[in-house]
Amino acid sequence: MDSKLVIYNTLTRQKERFEPLNAPHVGMYVCGPTVYGDPHLGHARPAITFDLVFRYLKHLGYKVRYVRNITDVGHLEHDADEGEDKIAKKARLEQLEPMEIAQYYTNRYHAAMDALNVLRPSIEPHASGHIIEQQQLVQQILDNGLAYESNGSIYFDIEAYNKRAESTGSQFRYGVLSGRSLENIKDASRELDGVGEKKNQADFALWKKAQPEHIMRWPSPWSDGFPGWHCECTAMGRKYLGEEFDIHGGGMDLVFPHHECEIAQAVGSMGHQAVKYWMHNNMLTINGQKMGKSYNNFITLEQFFTGNHPLLEKAYSPMTIRFFVLSAHYRGTVDFSNEALVAAEKGLEKLLNAISDLERVQASAECDAETKKVVTELRQKCYDAMNDDFATPQVISYLFEACTTINKLVDHKATICADCLKELKETMSLFAFDILGLKAENKGSNDAREEAFGKVMDMVLELRAKAKADKDWATSDKIRDELAAAGFEVKDTKDGVTWKLNK
């Protein structure tokens, strides 16, 4: 399979042609949520980004095994090796079992992702269901002399790892992915100098001995405890995708320490790192500031969907959120504001309305030259953008150019032949719905109300048509003007009268 797709590889810091290890099969692992709270906008971006990658690779004909994990154990506060497990802490505060917390928020995550039209992964393994695999990983690293036991906990020995890399000429020293040096990492870890268990404060936990009050624990050769946060993805990626696989994705905040540690664990256990292409989406900010509970600007997806948050001027639909995320390149920063989401809402409406309006376009004997050029170039231009590291803003801009052509066709200011009309419909549907994953919003319980609303509008327009037929221009103009004042846009076309309600 000859693919023109190029992907930016964080490891090599350059775009590389996508050549799977075992085409047509593709293995892709993406870090999923830690399920101790409601999904928020920060969860939406990687989910939508790698849903796009999943959709496009499948469209190109690859057989993709997409693994996205659920972290339900081992993720400690502040992403450090000390403190309380985030899920166990939530369980203690709410007086529930930890797995009850994990299941509840997993369900909430799934519901939000379904609303965003994010496809479910091929496999969704839970960290708590793979304790044995993680213990095996830890034992392999110990056997290779790159970890040590301290008071029942096991730590990865970064200095030993880097010395071995230097002696063997391996490029995979600790810091290869993030570009950090060991000295920088040591400096950043100095506030932990009093911990005492580690040889080096930059060393990270592979297994933690559980304190007496710690709820989530498992027996191991070293202590009753739990795996370090970084172990799960290395162990589960290897189990379901093999010792080498194609793509590992996640947010840019995971480059260090999580993915850096994953590379060290893979090399430390197998002698080689597992991933060919490391992909990372950039961060979301809110009015220029990092999103977080400590900044009082934390907005859950449910709050976006309902508008129930002080920073939100209104509710925004799931497809508006998806369109907003895709309107920026996945490696670029995205800044949330109400103005940006309103613009996304209008852009989405413009695109969906144009695709819907295509059904009213009648084919002519031939195309005019401008229409033919737009239609014949559209598909390849969209493919070229997608093949250039998934450049969705360019795809959307090309679809908007086509919307202008569609509006001309609806207004009988352009002509299109049957073959070009078929091509235009297929291309718009392919990229907007199948690849970008957009869809017309389902209003649910409002459907019956909207149907009745439409019937009333049809009746009003029939009255206007009768007035025009009777040459009762005063009544005809009065109906038109009253509708316009109420926000309705009425158009008289050769095919009849159309209307829409402007928001």
Side-chain angles (χ1 to χ4, degrees), residues 6 70 85 121 181 195 210 243 248 293 309 323 325 346 362 372 395 407 412 451 496:
V6 296
I70 296 289
D85 184 291
S181 69
V195 174
E243 290 195 356
H248 194 320
K293 292 178 181 177
H309 191 280
F323 189 83
V325 170
K346 290 180 179 177
Q362 298 296 315
K372 189 174 185 64
V395 174
N407 291 336
H412 299 280
E451 184 178 350

Side-chain angles (χ1 to χ4, degrees), residues 351-398:
L351 178 59
L352 294 179
N353 283 345
I355 294 173
S356 177
D357 288 345
L358 262 177
E359 298 306 315
R360 298 193 289 112
V361 173
Q362 298 296 315
S364 302
E366 61 182 24
C367 297
D368 63 82
E370 183 182 348
T371 299
K372 189 174 185 64
K373 184 175 188 297
V374 169
V375 173
T376 55
E377 292 179 355
L378 178 61
R379 185 181 294 253
Q380 191 57 54
K381 286 166 73 173
C382 289
Y383 273 129
D384 289 345
M386 285 298 296
N387 287 334
D388 184 13
D389 195 32
F390 308 98
T392 54
Q394 281 67 43
V395 174
I396 291 171
S397 71
Y398 296 142

